[in-house]
Amino acid sequence: MASLDLSPDPERVPLREARGRVLAERIDAELDVPGFDRASMDGYAVRARDTFGAGEADPATLELAGEVHAGAEPTVTVEPGTCAEISTGAVMPDGADAVVMVERTTEAGDGIEIRTSVAPGDHVMFAGADVAAGARALGPGTELTPREIGLLAALGADEVPVRGRPTVGVVSTGDELVRPGEDLHGERGQIYDVNSDTIAAGIDEAGGEARLYPHAGDDYDEMERLLVEASGECDLVLSSGSTSASAVDVIYRVIEERGDLLLHGVSVKPGKPMLVGRVGESAYVGLPGYPVSALTIFRTFVAPAIREAAGKPEPRTATVTGRMAVQERYAEGRMRLMPVGLVESGPGGPDGGGEAAGTAGGETLVYPVDKGSGATTSLVEADGVVVVDPDTDYLAEGEPVEVQLFSPDVRPPSAFGAGEDDPALSRLLDRLERPRYLPVGSREGLRRLRDGVPDFAVTAGPVERDVEATDLGGWTREWGLVVPDGNPDGVTGIADLVDRDLRFLNRDTNSGLRASLEDAVAGLAAERGVERRDLEASVDGFDRSVRAHESPARRVLAGDADAGLGLRATAGKLGLGFVPLGEQDVRVRANPDRTGKSGVEELAGAVADLDDVLAGLTGYGTA
């Protein structure tokens, strides 16, 4: 990006709009600040020589000649043997060269007793003491924060010369994208456009001015029209999506035909399909379509160029050294920017994690956060990235790594958990200060707890128990089959799924609900003297699974399934029918080595008091 000229012309902006901008030239003071000698406290303006020798035992008595208030021109002169009452910020009257604070004075008839001596200049701010006329106030390249705005206001500046903000156009492509707020049709494979607003926020943060253009789809003519329009209005044009050389991804051909394509592809994961070029007078960068890839490439290659053009300094970099919590294999022969999360391995301070990442909260463990480039939650579940060299085949468990934090104020979560997705748990986590939870299912949560990564795991149903853990308590929930309102098919239990032509939607194999269903099917198979797998195979959709606990119910609500595995609470929330199959125990199980962490102690306290958490959740109860 260094070869692409993004430098906009300087401009003048009103002072009230200048915060965050960068000065384009030096600002010299054109007047003294303050412009007059002024009192720095309430008291009496005096001639210092009249107070010499004065003290508590032998005060000097001065005649009160008048008073001076802030914002008013003095109408009194302090002659020898006199004083004038004065307020903070008021102009020093003629003849006075010091101020005696009011606390060291006493009214005495027509005079004022001065119980201390002062020297010339005491409690007086002289003209130009803050900024002198002609002095250099601020230099070019200064980023204007509220402090600098205050100084400029003191100098009387109503407009300031600043570096121009590069205008960056954002064009999203792909027929599957829908702008947030518009109707989404999942059956057509539509998804919300994440990149436009995400990248626009990054542009603003880097000092640019984002300009969003209409969605282009995958239509060549519309892409060409929008890119040409944006290139005529912007210093830089960014597009997201349609950067691979496939039949439908045509944007690279637009750049070749209407401009210059300088680069197609970088040896970085995530983010390999990247374009760099020019269209007209504008620079162009094509970002990958997946949100994690797009934001990674933007932060690595594009944001620095925008900051340089806007004159913004590079953000404070923060790194922390930790050890890999698990082994991570990688052998693709290109540099990898691996999103990772942090967790402290031992008891933390009052906030559960020390003062900053990698400090007094115990050893810092680093775990990969990689749901694939298309998973937007990776953007918020990661704390930073580890740069993995192309020649690295794997990172061993316990191997030291350096994490480049996304911001200097990143802190590990107070309590980090993984396991079952559950509505009561969501409420419980709201009561903790700074938790992080990965809803990966009961079985996967226990596996991760066994590997020593999270602080706690949440399990439901008959999952394996051979994991050393401290049970913090739990609750119960009623599970079963979610059916349309009124149960039009008359579903009564699992046998109906086996014997009738009903469309069913299951949960994934990590789910505790799936484990309870498998046990129930095994019981029915034993009654009938058949193999469990044969019964499962006879259910239309037994192997058709989803991950989130509400997803089967929402498919039933949409008419895509006749029954789905779920909770009574979910059925009630969505206005659906429910066929109960049993009750599950939900348990919160802590890593025994981390029960002393303040965040885990906070969690244990919350689990011990569940009344508010369970209130209003149909089918829930205390264990």
Side-chain angles (χ1 to χ4, degrees):
M1 291 297 297
S3 62
L4 301 178
D5 181 15
L6 303 182
S7 301
D9 295 330
E11 58 182 320
R12 298 188 68 87
V13 299
L15 184 61
R16 65 181 54 189
E17 298 175 11
R19 185 185 66 82
R21 302 297 294 270
V22 176
L23 279 181
E25 59 188 61
R26 186 184 70 251
I27 300 292
D28 292 338
E30 296 183 0
L31 72 165
D32 289 331
V33 179
F36 52 88
D37 297 345
R38 68 184 183 188
S40 59
M41 62 178 52
D42 293 340
Y44 293 89
V46 300
R47 295 164 60 95
R49 69 183 63 184
D50 290 340
T51 70
F52 289 170
E56 293 288 343
D58 186 20
T61 301
L62 302 178
E63 179 185 349
L64 183 61
E67 57 187 29
V68 184
H69 298 292
E73 182 178 353
T75 59
V76 62
T77 298
V78 177
E79 303 287 353
T82 68
C83 65
E85 183 180 352
I86 195 166
S87 57
T88 302
V91 178
M92 290 291 288
D94 288 343
D97 59 6
V99 173
V100 178
M101 67 178 64
V102 68
E103 291 84 357
R104 304 303 298 274
T105 66
T106 305
E107 294 184 13
D110 293 334
I112 302 297
E113 290 185 348
I114 307 297
R115 304 194 309 275
T116 186
S117 60
V118 292
D122 281 359
H123 311 309
V124 177
M125 176 176 279
F126 292 102
D130 195 352
V131 180
R136 183 180 191 270
L138 295 170
T142 301
E143 185 172 4
L144 299 178
T145 72
R147 294 174 297 171
E148 288 77 20
I149 297 293
L151 175 57
L152 291 168
L155 296 176
D158 61 340
E159 285 188 342
V160 288
V162 295
R163 295 277 295 268
R165 299 178 65 187
T167 304
V168 184
V170 180
V171 178
S172 63
T173 67
D175 288 336
E176 76 279 8
L177 297 183
V178 175
R179 291 289 297 162
E182 298 178 1
D183 292 336
L184 186 73
H185 298 281
E187 70 278 5
R188 302 179 193 169
Q190 292 182 342
I191 58 176
Y192 281 122
D193 177 9
V194 174
N195 288 351
S196 290
D197 290 316
T198 303
I199 298 304
I203 292 167
D204 292 339
E205 184 179 57
E209 180 180 346
R211 183 174 299 177
L212 295 183
Y213 286 82
H215 178 59
D218 283 323
D219 180 79
Y220 180 96
D221 292 335
E222 182 67 2
M223 283 187 197
E224 182 180 40
R225 184 188 71 80
L226 287 173
L227 286 174
V228 171
E229 177 185 345
S231 68
E233 299 173 344
C234 302
D235 302 300
L236 169 65
V237 178
L238 302 178
S239 69
S240 64
S242 297
T243 53
S244 63
S246 67
V248 295
D249 293 343
V250 298
I251 199 166
Y252 74 96
R253 292 196 288 111
V254 175
I255 304 303
E256 284 185 323
E257 294 177 12
R258 296 305 301 262
D260 296 314
L261 183 61
L262 306 177
L263 174 70
H264 187 188
V266 290
S267 186
V268 175
K269 179 182 180 181
K272 181 179 180 180
M274 173 187 176
L275 304 177
V276 177
R278 299 196 69 87
V279 179
E281 297 299 318
S282 174
Y284 166 78
V285 175
L287 302 173
Y290 284 139
V292 174
S293 297
L295 189 60
T296 300
I297 290 296
F298 176 83
R299 291 180 68 253
T300 305
F301 298 103
V302 183
I306 296 174
R307 282 194 294 269
E308 181 180 359
K312 298 271 285 187
E314 287 291 318
R316 289 184 299 143
T317 57
T319 60
V320 61
T321 300
R323 294 186 179 276
M324 290 294 296
V326 293
Q327 178 177 279
E328 178 73 357
R329 292 193 173 276
Y330 180 72
E332 294 191 20
R334 53 186 170 130
M335 183 177 71
R336 180 185 182 189
L337 304 176
M338 180 175 69
V340 296
L342 306 177
V343 62
E344 300 290 0
S345 64
D351 67 354
E355 295 180 357
T359 59
E363 184 179 30
T364 299
L365 299 180
V366 179
Y367 60 92
V369 179
D370 192 359
K371 300 180 178 180
S373 297
T376 55
T377 51
S378 294
L379 299 176
V380 294
E381 289 179 0
D383 297 311
V385 297
V386 170
V387 179
V388 184
D389 188 88
D391 297 328
T392 300
D393 292 331
Y394 69 93
L395 296 172
E397 179 182 350
E399 181 174 344
V401 291
E402 185 177 81
V403 181
Q404 298 177 5
L405 300 178
F406 287 141
S407 64
D409 58 353
V410 165
R411 291 185 296 168
S414 60
F416 173 44
E420 192 74 5
D421 191 5
D422 180 82
L425 176 65
S426 297
R427 293 183 175 190
L428 182 70
L429 294 176
D430 287 343
R431 300 170 63 180
L432 306 185
E433 179 185 358
R434 201 176 64 255
R436 177 179 297 155
Y437 187 77
L438 306 182
V440 294
S442 294
R443 288 184 171 120
E444 178 64 13
L446 281 179
R447 185 191 68 78
R448 297 191 184 198
L449 189 66
R450 184 188 299 114
D451 290 341
V453 179
D455 299 320
F456 67 96
V458 178
T459 63
V463 294
E464 56 185 304
R465 303 289 182 179
D466 60 340
V467 177
E468 184 179 356
T470 301
D471 195 319
L472 300 182
W475 54 90
T476 63
R477 63 183 189 179
E478 194 172 5
W479 71 280
L481 302 178
V482 179
V483 296
D485 185 30
N487 194 6
D489 293 313
V491 177
T492 60
I494 296 174
D496 290 320
L497 301 180
V498 173
D499 300 331
R500 297 169 57 189
D501 185 20
L502 298 173
R503 298 169 302 165
F504 176 65
L505 192 63
N506 208 345
R507 288 292 310 280
D508 65 287
T509 56
N510 281 312
S511 166
L513 287 173
R514 175 70 169 257
S516 289
L517 178 65
E518 289 173 351
D519 272 12
V521 172
L524 179 62
E527 291 178 12
R528 296 186 177 186
V530 297
E531 292 291 329
R532 187 190 80 179
R533 69 186 65 179
D534 293 334
L535 287 190
E536 293 176 352
S538 65
V539 176
D540 179 10
F542 193 91
D543 292 329
R544 188 168 61 245
S545 62
V546 290
R547 179 176 167 186
H549 76 276
E550 282 193 2
S551 293
R554 291 188 176 276
R555 297 288 181 86
V556 172
L557 185 64
D560 297 331
D562 300 311
L565 184 61
L567 303 173
R568 180 181 287 279
T570 302
K573 173 184 174 181
L574 299 179
L576 296 169
F578 184 73
V579 179
L581 295 179
E583 191 175 74
Q584 285 186 324
D585 276 335
V586 181
R587 309 304 298 177
V588 181
R589 311 173 73 188
N591 183 327
D593 295 330
R594 302 188 197 165
T595 54
K597 284 184 66 169
S598 59
V600 178
E601 291 176 343
E602 183 184 26
L603 172 66
V607 174
D609 182 15
L610 292 171
D611 290 343
D612 290 343
V613 171
L614 302 182
L617 283 176
T618 307
Y620 275 75
T622 55

